[in-house]
Amino acid sequence: MTRTVEMPPVDRLRRRSGGKIVAGVCGGIADHLGVDVFRVRVVFVALAALAGAGVAAYALLWFFCPTGTDAQAPSRRERRQAQGLLVIGVVVLLLNGFVAASTPASTLLALIVVLGGAALVWREVDVTGFSNRSGVVTWLRLAAGAFLVVGGLVVLVAAPDTAFAGLNPTLLAVLGTLVGTLLLTIPLWMRMWRTLNTERAARIRNEEREVIASHLHDSVLQTLALIQKRADQPDVVAQLARRQERELRQWLLGDEARRRESLAAAIAAISAEVEDTYGVEVETVTVGDVTLEELRDKTVADGLQALVAAAREAMVNAAKHSGVDKIDVYCETDADRVEVFVRDRGKGFDPDAVDDDRQGISKSITARMERVGGSARITAKPGRGTNVALELPRGPHRATAGPEADSQPTKEDS
């Protein structure tokens, strides 16, 4: 039986939507970490003094973090605290620029104006979406933000005491235009990128639903129709249900290990074959598996082929002669050996009382395993069922043996 473990959903960082002051970054971090939002804002103000690291971090988080779904507006007290910290952050950034650099005051003020205008435009686009239904106030704010960005850039590139003085005016005009356009359109590009990702995710989900619907129509629904027609035959209904359960489980979990590439897949395949042929339930459990490197070794491949054939013969014997409706198969692969156990709780038999001309066990199971360096042990008692234990050495413990000549199961009885 296969057990599926569900992974918990990833808790992503999201900015506040209704409870934002500027962009909701500090509030989103506070909600994600479970701390007071005031402390987060103080940390960003303190980081603003480190060459503007707090401002850069805030802008990056604003750019990459999606908005949340909260609708509760911040309280008056929280809003006043945030606005006071915002003013302190601007002052700290200016003082840090005056002290740490020899840049003229006009340049720093122009840079602050540019950043403030860009923040105003970003916030309005983030809140309203820049749609045709935006009000007059929104358009005025957008125009004011654009004016601040353009005016600040003009001061930066045209003032005689700036670091750009002396450069080619045409080149400065082009660079200023590009920078201004980039600052003003970043939120639009970001919104477009998120919209494309949302549409792509929706398209992938739709394709997955179509694949699932097609598979259910071709397999599960047809099996249910057959079950309705055979409702008066419980044995056939049970067999159809088991077959459909096995196919659906393989499809859901992925049938990556094919019969010729995996011992576990080969055991599962012959179990399903015996189950479908003889109408008994075969409960198969596999632990571990061989590697592809081992399967490339012809001696190992021949030994595993013999093991699978012997296991199939044991299953067939149990299905034909035990008189039970269920057979248990257990396959375990460890570093030293590969073991397969086939057990039924049926009628059983006395191994010593088997006639000499009935050679299904001796040839199809025991001799087959011995030819490849393995062994077979059959434990059976009348009325107590039968247990067939197959063992094949693995790795350095493997014995050298010839190839398995008879890969087809014989039709001898146990």
Side-chain angles (χ1 to χ4, degrees):
M1 181 177 295
T2 305
R3 181 177 301 174
T4 304
V5 180
E6 296 184 358
M7 298 298 294
V10 179
D11 186 15
R12 294 186 60 188
L13 173 63
R14 295 183 178 274
R15 297 183 286 114
R16 283 185 181 179
S17 179
K20 66 173 62 176
I21 302 297
V22 178
V25 172
C26 295
I29 295 176
D31 297 338
H32 185 74
L33 301 179
V35 297
D36 186 12
V37 65
F38 179 76
R39 298 181 179 180
V40 178
R41 288 169 177 152
V42 170
V43 171
F44 273 95
V45 171
L47 290 176
L50 301 177
V55 178
Y58 194 96
L60 290 174
L61 290 172
W62 187 352
F63 186 81
F64 288 107
C65 294
T67 56
T69 57
D70 62 292
Q72 183 178 0
S75 62
R76 273 188 173 183
R77 181 172 179 271
E78 181 182 349
R79 187 179 293 277
R80 286 196 301 267
Q81 287 179 346
Q83 292 172 349
L85 290 175
L86 180 61
V87 174
I88 294 175
V90 174
V91 174
V92 168
L93 186 62
L94 287 173
L95 293 177
N96 179 71
F98 287 140
V99 173
S102 59
T103 307
S106 60
T107 301
L108 291 176
L109 290 175
L111 182 60
I112 295 298
V113 169
V114 171
L115 295 178
L120 180 59
V121 173
W122 288 16
R123 189 180 188 280
E124 289 302 316
V125 175
D126 193 28
V127 173
T128 64
F130 203 26
S131 62
N132 295 329
R133 294 175 294 177
S134 303
V136 177
V137 176
T138 298
W139 288 101
L140 290 177
R141 290 175 178 172
L142 291 173
F147 177 77
L148 292 176
V149 171
V150 174
L153 288 175
V154 169
V155 173
L156 285 175
V157 301
D161 57 347
T162 61
F164 302 101
L167 298 179
N168 191 322
T170 304
L171 179 60
L172 288 178
V174 172
L175 290 177
T177 302
L178 292 177
V179 172
T181 304
L182 180 62
L183 288 175
L184 293 175
T185 57
I186 278 179
L188 296 179
W189 292 110
M190 193 64 189
R191 183 177 292 273
M192 184 181 301
W193 177 57
R194 289 172 178 167
T195 302
L196 291 175
N197 285 340
T198 302
E199 293 178 354
R200 178 175 177 272
R203 185 175 66 254
I204 292 175
R205 287 194 297 267
N206 185 57
E207 292 176 354
E208 290 178 348
R209 283 195 295 266
E210 291 179 355
V211 170
I212 293 174
S214 300
H215 182 82
L216 292 178
H217 177 270
D218 296 340
S219 60
V220 178
L221 295 180
Q222 292 184 2
T223 302
L224 291 176
L226 289 175
I227 289 176
Q228 289 179 348
K229 294 180 179 179
R230 304 291 183 87
D232 56 341
Q233 303 177 11
D235 294 339
V236 176
V237 169
Q239 182 178 357
L240 289 173
R242 287 195 302 269
R243 179 189 301 172
Q244 187 56 60
E245 178 190 4
R246 181 174 61 252
E247 293 178 357
L248 186 60
R249 192 182 300 276
Q250 290 177 351
W251 182 75
L252 289 175
L253 300 180
D255 189 18
E256 299 178 359
R258 302 296 179 183
R259 183 168 180 171
R260 296 182 180 275
E261 301 175 358
S262 167
L263 174 63
I267 294 295
I270 62 172
S271 299
E273 180 184 341
V274 172
E275 185 175 280
D276 294 339
T277 303
Y278 296 95
V280 297
E281 180 181 357
V282 181
E283 183 71 20
T284 305
V285 177
T286 57
V287 178
D289 204 348
V290 296
T291 62
L292 291 176
E293 288 74 13
E294 290 179 278
L295 292 176
R296 294 189 182 99
D297 188 333
K298 187 176 185 303
T299 303
V300 175
D302 291 338
L304 294 175
Q305 183 180 6
L307 176 67
V308 171
R312 183 189 183 281
E313 184 67 20
M315 296 180 203
V316 170
N317 288 337
K320 291 170 60 177
H321 306 297
S322 65
V324 297
D325 298 329
K326 181 178 180 181
I327 302 171
D328 296 317
V329 178
Y330 178 76
C331 175
E332 181 176 3
T333 304
D334 56 26
D336 299 333
R337 65 183 63 85
V338 180
E339 295 178 306
V340 178
F341 301 91
V342 180
R343 181 182 181 184
D344 67 79
R345 300 179 182 274
K347 296 183 296 185
F349 67 99
D350 185 1
D352 298 331
V354 177
D355 297 335
D356 295 338
D357 59 343
R358 315 288 286 193
Q359 298 179 349
I361 293 178
S362 60
K363 287 188 177 181
S364 297
I365 299 179
T366 305
R368 174 177 272 140
M369 292 302 299
E370 290 177 351
R371 284 198 299 270
V372 294
S375 62
R377 186 177 69 256
I378 294 92
T379 304
K381 289 184 180 180
R384 301 289 296 275
T386 304
N387 184 36
V388 179
L390 309 176
E391 180 178 331
L392 182 68
R394 185 187 181 200
H397 305 276
R398 185 181 72 241
T400 303
E404 169 64 11
D406 183 16
S407 60
Q408 299 296 328
T410 60
K411 300 178 66 175
E412 301 291 343
D413 298 332
S414 59

